Amino acid sequence: MGSVSKLNAFRPYLNMYGDFITKNAGAVSQIESALRSLTYIVPARFKDVELASESIHSGIQLLSLYHDSLLARAGAALPVPGPKPSPHSRYTKFWTQNSPGYKRLALIVTMIQYTELLWEMSAKRRGQKMRWRAVIILETAKAVCRLLLLRLTNSRPLLTPPLPEREIDPAVLEESLNPDPESPPSEITWRMPRTGLSLPSLPATNQISQFLLTKVLTAEDVKPPNQLLHRVKGTGYFAEVLYIIRPVVYAIAMKQWAHDKKSWRPWLLGVSLEYAARQLAKRDFEMTVPGGMKGLTALEREELKRRAWSMGWWAMRGAFYENVSGPWLRTVTAKIADKPMINLLGGLVDDYQYLWDNYYFSTATL
């Protein structure tokens, strides 16, 4: 009862804070972006005060996550519908609104991703053994949540991020919540005398094509949101499970060979698992989806493309980084250290190398 009364006491302040955020959405978004960029650029983040600076970065990410929920709630209450949502937004919004379990699990995964590097930094202060234990626990927690999400979505591939992204225009939201009575209407309408209905004004002649394209509905626009991803079974299901557990297997292998950072065995194991999962998934699509890879929805193609790009981070992990990309980057930064202007970029890369050299989660993509 005491905790409930305390929450009720803070509720008015939370409501006031929510109103402030929604009525000043544009300024808040700019401040978030500036602070997030600052934590990436400031070199002190990576060396002397890494823990404090990473705490600020994680705090900003978590606060932005809360702001996303406030802005999404305010956008849904607007009388005028916003722009057409992306397939990712439609799909993730469907599951967060219709499955409380999905929403909780997706929130847990996202919060772990935002704070995992901070947890690793904290654990490292107690020694390498504690650091790797924390890494494996976090990767296992994310994998368990993702396996449960796979089950809750009826065996549909997982998306990254699993929560809807912020798509509402802050300026439109501010204008809707803070109308200016002296400002002219943004759009001139004509009211039909018999029915009383209002017709919007037509666009300018040079914008007709763009206007018509925004009104076109594709086959995917009329699909139910949960059908934007095909269900997987058999080989496809095994591929998705393999993709989910790959970080856990790789983290355990890295801990096993932590004494030899240049060993290729953990790196080859991790790359092989991710590549095998990708090839098995593509083979399953070819066999089960009408039209094969050409029959995939835009959302499925987008997720496959994102996973393909994320494989590029293997160039900055494990033995490949220790033996190939790391020495090459050090050579390049040493060569441009005495060149004006360019040495700023070299210094920034050198600061990031401190992260890549010392922390597992600095290059994690899942």
Side-chain angles (χ1 to χ4, degrees), residues 118-184:
L118 178 62
W119 287 112
E120 184 182 0
M121 287 180 175
S122 302
K124 187 183 177 184
R125 297 199 168 192
R126 299 186 179 183
Q128 288 294 331
K129 186 176 181 180
M130 182 62 70
R131 173 203 168 200
W132 283 113
R133 185 178 298 173
V135 167
I136 293 172
I137 289 174
L138 291 173
E139 289 290 21
T140 303
K142 289 191 295 181
V144 170
C145 289
R146 289 190 173 105
L147 290 172
L148 293 173
L149 288 174
L150 183 63
R151 182 179 178 83
L152 285 173
T153 56
N154 298 319
S155 303
R156 289 180 172 86
L158 302 183
L159 298 180
T160 302
L163 291 173
E165 295 179 296
R166 189 185 301 182
E167 293 185 343
I168 188 169
D169 186 356
V172 174
L173 183 61
E174 279 191 51
E175 185 178 350
S176 302
L177 296 175
N178 306 303
D180 187 358
E182 297 182 359
S183 63

Side-chain angles (χ1 to χ4, degrees), residues 220 223 230 285 289-298 300-301:
E220 293 183 10
K223 272 186 177 181
H230 291 91
F285 284 140
V289 176
M293 295 296 291
K294 293 182 179 180
L296 297 180
T297 64
E300 287 170 326
R301 291 194 296 270

Side-chain angles (χ1 to χ4, degrees), residues 32-91:
E32 287 175 356
S33 179
L35 290 175
R36 195 177 294 113
S37 300
L38 187 63
T39 58
Y40 278 119
I41 294 173
V42 174
R45 173 176 183 253
F46 306 111
K47 293 181 181 178
D48 299 330
V49 290
E50 56 180 17
L51 194 60
S53 207
E54 183 61 30
S55 300
I56 296 173
H57 178 73
S58 298
I60 293 170
Q61 295 284 74
L62 293 175
L63 192 62
S64 297
L65 187 63
Y66 178 61
H67 291 170
D68 288 347
S69 65
L70 294 176
L71 296 178
R73 199 180 309 155
L78 292 178
V80 179
K84 184 170 67 174
S86 67
H88 178 277
S89 179
R90 287 183 61 211
Y91 181 84

